[in-house]
Amino acid sequence: MIWSLVKIVVFIVAVAALALGAGYLLEAEGGVRIIVAGQEFTLGPLESVVGLIVLVLAIWIGLKILGLLVAVWKFLNGDDTALSRYFARNKAAKGFDALAEGMMALASGEGRVALAKAEKADRYLNRPELTNLLTAQAAEMAGDRKKAEETYRKLVQNDSTRFVGVRGIMKQKLADGDTDTALKLAQKAFALKPKHEDTQDVLLKLQAGHEDWAGARQTLSAKLKYGNLPRDLHKRRDAVLALSEAKKVLDKDETIEAREAAIAANKQSPDLIPAAVMAAEGYIEQGQKKYATRVLKKAWEARPHPDLAAAFAAIEPNETPAARLKRFAQLSRSHPNDPETRMLMCELNIAAEDFPAARRALGDLFETDPTTRSATLMAAIERGQGASDAVVQGWLTRALSAPRGPQWVCDNCQNIHAEWTPICTNCAAFDTLSWKRPPSAEIAMPGGTEMLPLLGAQSADPAANAIAVVDSTSTDAEVIEAEDLGNPPKKSA
C-alpha cells in the first residue's frame, strides 16, 4: 500500500516537472535556426527539444535498419545464419537480463519471482546449463520440491552440471532423512569432485553414521591431501576412526585384528582414552604387561581418567590392596594434585583400610571441588574411622546434591553420554565428545536439602534413613552402598 502511494506521488511529481519545464521553454526567447538547401527554419525552445528527441530516435531506428540490411546482405551472399544471429542477439540480451533479475530475486529471498525470471530466461537463451540451476534453487525456495528435483535430474544429464545436480538431489535426500540414498549420492559427488570440502564433510558424516569406518578413513585422508584438514586434527580423527573400526571388529570376535587396530589408534593419538584402554587390554591378553603399563602411564600423563585406572588395575587383578597401592604410585607421580589422582589414591587407601592416609590423599577436595564421588569417599572414610551414623548420613546427603563431576559431554550439543562414542547420539556430530564438566552439573534438589541429615538423625534407625535416601534418589553409579561403606566405590581401582 505504501509502495503504491510512493509510485503515485513520484508520477505526479514527474508530470509536474515536465509541465513546468515545458512552460519555461514556451516563455523563453530565442531558439534554433536551421538552413537546409537555401531554406531557413526557425525553431523555438520547445520545438528544439522535441526535435532533438525525434532526431535521437530516428538515428536509433536508422542503426537498427542498417544492421538488418547488413544481415540481409550477408544472407543473400551465402551466410545462412546471418538473419538468425541478428535476431538472436536481441533475444540473448533479454535472456541475460532476465537471468540477472532472477539471481537478484533469489538473493533477496523472492522464490516465486526468481522462478518466473528463470523461465523467461530459459525461453530467450535456450541455455539449460545456465537456467536450470536458477530454476532448481528458485523452486526449492518457493517450496516446490518436485520441480526442484526434476530440474536437478536434468542437470545430472549434462556433463558440465552433473556434480551440481547430484549434490542438489543429495541435499534433498538428507532433508527427507533418506541417509542410505544420500550416502550413495555423496560418494558419486565425491568421485566427481574429490576436492570439494562440503562434499567431503557430508560424506564423512554419512560414512561415520553408517559405521563405514574404512571408507571414512579414506575420506579423511582425502581432506588432508587436498588441504581441507590440518595434519594434527587429521591424526586425532584418524585415530578415532581406527578405534571405532577396532570396536566393530571386536564385536565380530576377531580379537587379533581388533587388538592391532586399537594399538595403532593409540600410537596415532596417545591421549585418546578409549584407544589407550583398548590397547592396554590387548597387551594384557597377550601377556605383555610391560607394554600395557607403558600405554596407560602415557595416557594418564595426558589426562587422568577413571577408565585408565580401571585398566591399570586389570594388569594385576589378584594383587593385595597394599601391593596395588604401591604399584599405583607410578600413576600418582604424574598430576599428583589432579582431582582424579587424589580420589584414586583415596580409594586405594580405603581398600587398604588406611583411613587416615585416605583422608590425607583426599584433603580439602570436597571444599574446593565438590562432587558426588568425593562426598561419597568422605562418607566411607568417616565410617572407617568409626564416626556416627548421623555423620555418615550427612556426607551421603551431600553426595546427592553435589555435581557429578567430569563426564563425556558433546562439545556441539552439550549432551551427556555414559561412555565414549565416536558420534554423538543426540546431534550425530563426529568426534565431539570431551571429558569435562557439563554446563549445568548441579543436581536440582528441593529446598532445605541441608536439613536432611538432621531430620534423618532423629529417626530411630538413621543408617536405614541414609540407605533409603540414597536408593530412592541417587542414580549415580559412583554412590557407594550405605550398608558397606568400608568398600571402595564402583570406580575404585
Side-chain angles (χ1 to χ4, degrees):
M1 181 66 182
I2 297 178
W3 178 239
S4 300
L5 180 61
V6 170
K7 290 192 287 186
I8 293 172
V9 172
V10 170
F11 176 75
I12 294 174
V13 171
V15 171
L18 289 174
L20 184 61
Y24 280 131
L25 290 174
L26 288 173
E27 296 176 359
E29 298 179 356
V32 178
R33 188 175 63 176
I34 302 174
I35 300 176
V36 180
Q39 294 186 355
E40 181 179 331
F41 300 94
T42 302
L43 302 177
L46 181 60
E47 294 171 337
S48 301
V49 173
V50 174
L52 180 62
I53 294 174
V54 172
L55 178 62
V56 171
L57 184 61
I59 293 173
W60 180 78
I61 294 174
L63 291 174
K64 289 290 184 180
I65 294 174
L66 179 62
L68 179 60
L69 292 175
V70 171
V72 171
W73 173 258
K74 290 182 179 179
F75 178 77
L76 295 176
N77 281 276
D79 190 351
D80 295 336
T81 61
L83 286 175
S84 61
R85 289 201 313 271
Y86 173 78
F87 290 107
R89 280 196 296 269
N90 294 332
K91 290 177 63 178
K94 293 179 180 179
F96 281 114
D97 288 342
L99 187 65
E101 292 171 358
M103 293 176 67
M104 291 297 296
L106 189 65
S108 302
E110 300 173 297
R112 293 293 179 187
V113 176
L115 192 58
K117 295 296 182 182
E119 293 174 353
K120 182 179 179 181
D122 186 53
R123 287 198 307 270
Y124 284 120
L125 293 177
N126 195 24
R127 298 273 302 274
E129 68 275 9
L130 293 177
T131 57
N132 278 344
L133 179 59
L134 177 61
T135 301
Q137 293 183 342
E140 279 188 338
M141 184 173 290
D144 192 346
R145 295 284 303 279
K146 184 178 179 180
K147 185 174 183 62
E149 185 173 354
E150 290 175 355
T151 310
Y152 280 130
R153 294 188 182 278
K154 293 178 182 177
L155 290 170
V156 172
Q157 298 172 3
N158 191 314
D159 290 340
S160 61
T161 59
R162 181 170 291 119
F163 173 76
V164 178
V166 171
R167 190 163 174 265
I169 299 175
M170 177 191 72
K171 287 188 173 181
Q172 286 194 322
K173 297 301 180 183
L174 284 174
D176 295 337
D178 187 359
T179 56
D180 293 335
T181 305
L183 175 59
K184 296 177 182 178
L185 291 169
Q187 292 170 339
K188 180 65 175 177
F190 179 73
L192 293 171
K193 279 193 176 182
K195 296 182 180 181
H196 195 266
E197 185 174 4
D198 184 66
T199 301
Q200 293 172 349
D201 293 338
V202 172
L203 177 58
L204 179 62
K205 183 176 181 180
L206 288 171
Q207 287 172 327
H210 285 75
E211 296 187 357
D212 181 11
W213 309 119
R217 294 185 74 178
Q218 294 177 359
T219 305
L220 197 71
S221 298
K223 287 177 67 66
L224 176 67
K225 178 181 177 181
Y226 296 116
N228 295 327
L229 189 69
R231 185 168 296 276
D232 57 342
L233 186 58
H234 167 266
K235 189 175 181 180
R236 153 79 188 189
R237 291 191 171 175
D238 190 55
V240 171
L241 292 173
L243 175 64
S244 304
E245 189 175 10
K247 285 188 173 182
K248 187 176 181 180
V249 173
L250 190 63
D251 292 339
K252 298 179 181 178
D253 296 328
E254 301 174 19
T255 56
I256 297 177
E257 291 81 356
R259 186 163 52 239
E260 291 176 349
I263 293 171
N266 175 252
K267 288 181 178 179
Q268 291 182 67
S269 186
D271 62 334
L272 186 59
I273 294 170
V277 171
M278 188 177 288
E281 291 173 349
Y283 282 129
I284 293 172
E285 289 179 8
Q286 291 179 327
Q288 298 176 340
K289 298 179 179 181
K290 182 178 179 181
Y291 291 133
T293 301
R294 183 184 304 171
V295 166
L296 294 172
K297 284 176 64 178
K298 193 170 184 179
W300 188 273
E301 290 173 0
R303 181 67 183 267
H305 193 277
D307 291 347
L308 297 175
F312 196 78
I315 297 175
E316 299 290 347
N318 298 321
E319 63 187 342
T320 63
R324 175 162 295 182
L325 186 60
K326 182 178 179 180
R327 187 169 61 88
F328 266 81
Q330 300 176 64
L331 291 185
S332 64
R333 283 194 290 267
S334 178
H335 304 289
N337 296 320
D338 188 271
E340 183 60 41
T341 304
R342 295 169 67 179
M343 286 188 288
L344 170 65
M345 298 310 296
C346 178
E347 292 175 356
L348 293 171
N349 280 287
I350 290 175
E353 298 185 359
D354 189 351
F355 299 104
R359 184 183 290 275
R360 288 194 300 271
L362 195 63
D364 61 346
L365 186 60
F366 185 81
E367 287 72 23
T368 58
D369 187 17
T371 61
T372 298
R373 186 176 167 195
S374 61
T376 306
L377 290 173
M378 283 300 302
I381 293 170
E382 293 291 356
R383 172 55 62 89
Q385 292 184 321
S388 65
D389 289 338
V391 174
V392 175
Q393 182 184 2
W395 281 110
L396 289 175
T397 305
R398 290 188 181 94
L400 297 179
S401 58
R404 297 295 177 92
Q407 298 176 74
W408 290 114
V409 182
C410 176
D411 296 331
N412 188 44
C413 66
Q414 308 303 321
N415 189 51
I416 301 174
H417 297 69
E419 60 181 10
W420 181 89
T421 58
I423 300 174
C424 175
T425 56
N426 183 54
C427 66
F430 173 69
D431 189 27
T432 57
L433 265 63
S434 300
W435 183 253
K436 63 180 184 180
R437 295 179 181 277
S440 54
E442 296 294 335
I443 302 175
M445 294 289 289
T449 305
E450 65 280 358
M451 296 297 294
L452 288 177
L454 298 179
L455 294 174
Q458 297 175 2
S459 171
D461 189 359
N465 288 336
I467 296 171
V469 172
V470 173
D471 290 343
S472 63
T473 311
S474 176
T475 59
D476 196 317
E478 298 175 358
V479 178
I480 63 174
E481 294 293 336
E483 298 91 336
D484 189 10
L485 292 176
N487 292 333
K490 185 178 180 181
K491 289 189 177 179
S492 172

